[in-house]
Amino acid sequence: LYLPFEVRNVRSGRPGAIGVSVAAPTGGFTLAPGQPTTFSLPAPVFESKTARRVYVAFTAPASGGPTFNGQVVVSRADDPTAPSVTVNVTAKAVPPPQVDSVLVVDRSGSMSGASGVHGKTKLDLAIEASHLYVSLLKDNDEVGVVRYNNQSGAGDVLLNMIAAGDPASGTGRANARSALTTANLNATGYTSIGAGVINGSSVLDAGTANARALVVLTDGRHNRSPSIATGTSTVQSKTPKQRVFAVGLGLNQLEDKLEQIASVTNGTAQITGDLVNERAFLLQKLYVQILSDIADEAFVKDPTSIANPGDRQATVIQLGETDVAADFIVVFRRTSVFPKYLNVELEAPDGTIFTRNDVAALPNAEYVEQPGHCYFRWHFPAFPERPHQHEGAWKVWVENRARGEYFLDGILNYSVMAKARSDLRLGGRVQQQTYHPGSPMEIVLEPTIYGLPVGLDAPVEAHVIRPDGVARTLTLTADNDGAYRAPYTDTGLAGPYLVSAEVSATTPAGHRVTRFRHMTGLIFVRREEGWDGPHDELCERAREALDLLARLLEECCRDGKTDPPRLLRTIDKSHLVQELTRRLDKDC
């Protein structure tokens, strides 16, 4: 942080210019970057004084404190009666709230199936999203990794709780990346979500933060003991409280009990649906939003884009004085060309453009690059003399520097996301009393500033995509408690209803800021009492057969001229699933 004091040449008698020198501060303080140690103050002829601010910088160490005291000596050599003044400086280190979380990853056999993204299995996407999650942790956050299929025991703990550490060299991050590999998550067996939750909860017990969460990924229905209900009772008994965030990867249905375990622990349940077209980066987006929710941060932006060779494109992100830090994130599809020919730059609201090399010299900014993603991490302010530089429209510039001869590999598929540590947040949920086809949903958004409800700029809209891809836009209205609501009743189809909302609000200082939220509504036929494991095994095998058929179409039915294959433009896994859903009135 930077704080200034002011040196003044006050008019008295015959005014004259003075020369000032500033000694290096003590007690762990420094002068701000670029701050001169000597300067002159002109004579105050027509004004009562001339003045200049001196900025003192303080960076909290990893340990020690929390209170730090130092001094700065300001001298004037040509004044023998008062040659120096000592300025006392004090800082109190307040670390950002620590978050402890465990990634609980499904490695059942169906995770080896096609994801909807060309050339990627569901396990590939799970690993990509998990790596992004680990990369975006704060240095003092702790993380663990647990896997599960039809069981999850001591041998399935891939990483016990460990602090993330530095984004580039942190041991915790490196260990987490080493744990999240296809070798460690080899897809085989059936699905016991309850076992994964219980094992993950046990690992999370070793955390040290008050904010704790399980991020549970699954692509299948629970079909092995222990039950999800047993997992729920295990998590609910823990102190400090453990929140469960559940993600259904590619599912058309999600266990109602998994939705319940998220609800009763103040978490969320989400479903990606088939990850095709604009949903290609949806899993990464959900993991960024989950991390934002766990840390009480704000999710700001998430557009998906394509850049042809030579294109240079900007994504605008609106921030205000309520935001104290931000991550500007770019996730992209790796090819033989990218990231080699990918260039990302950041433009501040005042027009200053920063490259990855520029931020290397800035104490409050850094650039991090990992396979499949990169981001600028910015703590405000970056410059002492420009404390409001971050307020306004930022631009994330993405440039495709590939040449045309790379053809398809040279087309850049990417998504820009941003999350902010902020006092202006957007909560939200889809409220449902029942999950049967035809049951109504209510879309709810809860914007707050400094913990109190805040009005949103009109119109306040949410976009709903039905399981068959039909989209509808709803207008939400404010209630007496400051929440925004809208009913949604077109719920005749079983499957996920993907809800997204991008809203804007005006801060007390008059800045327009944006916030984004993704939510999921769930409609499915509830399992009948008495259905047991063999039925679930058949469902699991049916899903695996669908995955195999989709992969067969993808690999064997190419026409040799186009990519994706012409046949797959009309026949894909989603169409097969929809047709089978129409013909089967149960929950396969």
Side-chain angles (χ1 to χ4, degrees), residues 2 67 105 184 186 228 316-317 336 359 406 479 481 545 572 581:
Y2 304 106
T67 302
V105 186
N184 287 333
N186 56 308
I228 296 176
V316 177
I317 295 167
S336 61
V359 302
Y406 289 108
D479 63 16
D481 297 321
D572 60 22
T581 301

Side-chain angles (χ1 to χ4, degrees), residues 33-117:
Q35 177 70 55
T37 58
T38 61
F39 55 86
S40 295
L41 290 177
V45 178
F46 300 105
E47 57 273 275
S48 62
K49 67 179 184 296
T50 58
R52 176 167 182 159
R53 285 188 168 189
V54 175
Y55 285 87
V56 177
F58 176 74
T59 301
S63 61
T67 302
F68 299 83
N69 297 291
Q71 294 181 331
V72 185
V73 177
V74 183
S75 301
R76 177 189 169 190
D78 56 353
D79 185 356
T81 61
S84 67
V85 174
T86 298
V87 180
N88 294 316
V89 289
T90 300
K92 186 172 183 178
V94 181
Q98 178 183 331
V99 170
D100 292 349
S101 52
V102 174
L103 298 173
V104 182
V105 186
D106 187 351
R107 68 173 186 110
S108 61
S110 56
M111 287 290 288
S112 64
S115 64
V117 177

Side-chain angles (χ1 to χ4, degrees), residues 181-221:
T181 64
T182 53
N184 287 333
L185 297 168
N186 56 308
T188 182
Y190 294 100
T191 306
S192 177
I193 300 170
V197 168
I198 293 170
N199 204 12
S201 178
S202 177
V203 171
L204 190 56
D205 287 340
T208 58
N210 288 326
R212 304 186 184 189
L214 298 173
V215 183
V216 182
L217 177 76
T218 182
D219 82 322
R221 295 292 299 267

Side-chain angles (χ1 to χ4, degrees), residues 431-442 488-492 497 522-524:
Q431 287 186 338
Q432 296 178 251
Q433 298 299 319
T434 62
Y435 303 96
H436 295 292
S439 301
M441 304 177 182
E442 186 173 38
Y488 183 78
T489 58
D490 186 13
T491 60
Y497 289 73
L522 312 173
I523 293 295
F524 51 84

Side-chain angles (χ1 to χ4, degrees), residues 324-398:
V324 299
D327 292 340
F328 303 92
I329 310 158
V330 177
V331 295
F332 56 90
R333 192 64 59 219
R334 297 179 67 191
T335 70
S336 61
V337 178
F338 306 113
K340 182 178 181 180
Y341 294 109
L342 167 68
N343 182 56
V344 179
E345 296 177 346
L346 189 61
E347 181 178 342
D350 65 0
T352 306
I353 293 181
F354 300 94
T355 68
R356 64 187 71 185
N357 294 327
D358 294 331
V359 302
L362 299 179
N364 276 10
E366 57 190 327
Y367 175 82
V368 178
E369 184 173 321
Q370 291 292 331
H373 69 266
C374 59
Y375 65 89
F376 287 92
R377 173 159 287 178
W378 216 268
H379 299 270
F380 307 131
F383 300 97
E385 71 279 7
R386 289 177 278 173
H388 302 286
Q389 184 197 39
H390 68 282
E391 299 168 8
W394 290 77
K395 294 181 181 178
V396 180
W397 288 96
V398 176

Side-chain angles (χ1 to χ4, degrees), residues 42-359:
V45 178
F46 300 105
E47 57 273 275
S48 62
K49 67 179 184 296
T50 58
R52 176 167 182 159
R53 285 188 168 189
V54 175
Y55 285 87
V56 177
F58 176 74
T59 301
S63 61
T67 302
F68 299 83
N69 297 291
Q71 294 181 331
V72 185
V73 177
V74 183
S75 301
R76 177 189 169 190
D78 56 353
D79 185 356
T81 61
S84 67
V85 174
T86 298
V87 180
N88 294 316
V89 289
T90 300
K92 186 172 183 178
V94 181
Q98 178 183 331
V99 170
D100 292 349
S101 52
V102 174
L103 298 173
V104 182
V105 186
D106 187 351
R107 68 173 186 110
S108 61
S110 56
M111 287 290 288
S112 64
S115 64
V117 177
H118 176 65
K120 298 284 187 178
T121 66
K122 287 180 280 188
L123 186 59
D124 293 333
L125 296 190
I127 291 173
E128 285 183 357
S130 299
H131 277 234
L132 176 62
Y133 183 97
V134 170
S135 185
L136 291 172
L137 293 171
K138 299 188 298 296
D139 294 5
N140 61 336
D141 292 341
E142 294 186 7
V143 65
V145 180
V146 167
R147 66 184 182 185
Y148 73 94
N149 50 12
N150 46 277
Q151 62 182 9
S152 187
D156 295 301
V157 177
L158 302 180
L159 180 67
N160 284 302
M161 301 302 295
I162 185 173
D166 181 80
S169 59
T171 301
R173 298 182 205 267
N175 290 353
R177 295 185 189 110
S178 297
L180 293 162
T181 64
T182 53
N184 287 333
L185 297 168
N186 56 308
T188 182
Y190 294 100
T191 306
S192 177
I193 300 170
V197 168
I198 293 170
N199 204 12
S201 178
S202 177
V203 171
L204 190 56
D205 287 340
T208 58
N210 288 326
R212 304 186 184 189
L214 298 173
V215 183
V216 182
L217 177 76
T218 182
D219 82 322
R221 295 292 299 267
H222 178 93
N223 52 37
R224 287 295 185 274
S225 61
S227 67
I228 296 176
T230 302
T232 302
S233 62
T234 299
V235 172
Q236 284 186 288
S237 68
K238 298 300 178 67
T239 302
K241 293 182 178 179
Q242 298 180 356
R243 302 168 69 187
V244 175
F245 294 82
V247 180
L249 174 54
L251 290 173
N252 285 323
Q253 298 186 52
L254 187 65
E255 285 274 6
D256 54 339
K257 293 182 177 62
L258 196 55
E259 160 72 9
Q260 291 166 9
I261 190 176
S263 298
V264 299
T265 61
N266 197 28
T268 60
Q270 305 271 19
I271 297 178
T272 66
D274 289 318
L275 297 174
V276 296
N277 301 325
E278 72 279 358
R279 298 187 200 172
F281 298 104
L282 179 56
L283 187 61
Q284 288 99 316
K285 172 170 62 178
L286 292 180
Y287 269 56
V288 174
Q289 179 175 293
I290 287 170
L291 182 57
S292 300
D293 286 349
I294 296 171
D296 287 331
E297 296 181 343
F299 191 28
V300 182
K301 196 78 173 179
D302 82 318
T304 299
S305 305
I306 293 177
N308 292 312
D311 286 352
R312 177 177 164 83
Q313 303 171 163
T315 300
V316 177
I317 295 167
Q318 300 280 354
L319 297 178
E321 81 279 4
T322 54
D323 305 316
V324 299
D327 292 340
F328 303 92
I329 310 158
V330 177
V331 295
F332 56 90
R333 192 64 59 219
R334 297 179 67 191
T335 70
S336 61
V337 178
F338 306 113
K340 182 178 181 180
Y341 294 109
L342 167 68
N343 182 56
V344 179
E345 296 177 346
L346 189 61
E347 181 178 342
D350 65 0
T352 306
I353 293 181
F354 300 94
T355 68
R356 64 187 71 185
N357 294 327
D358 294 331
V359 302

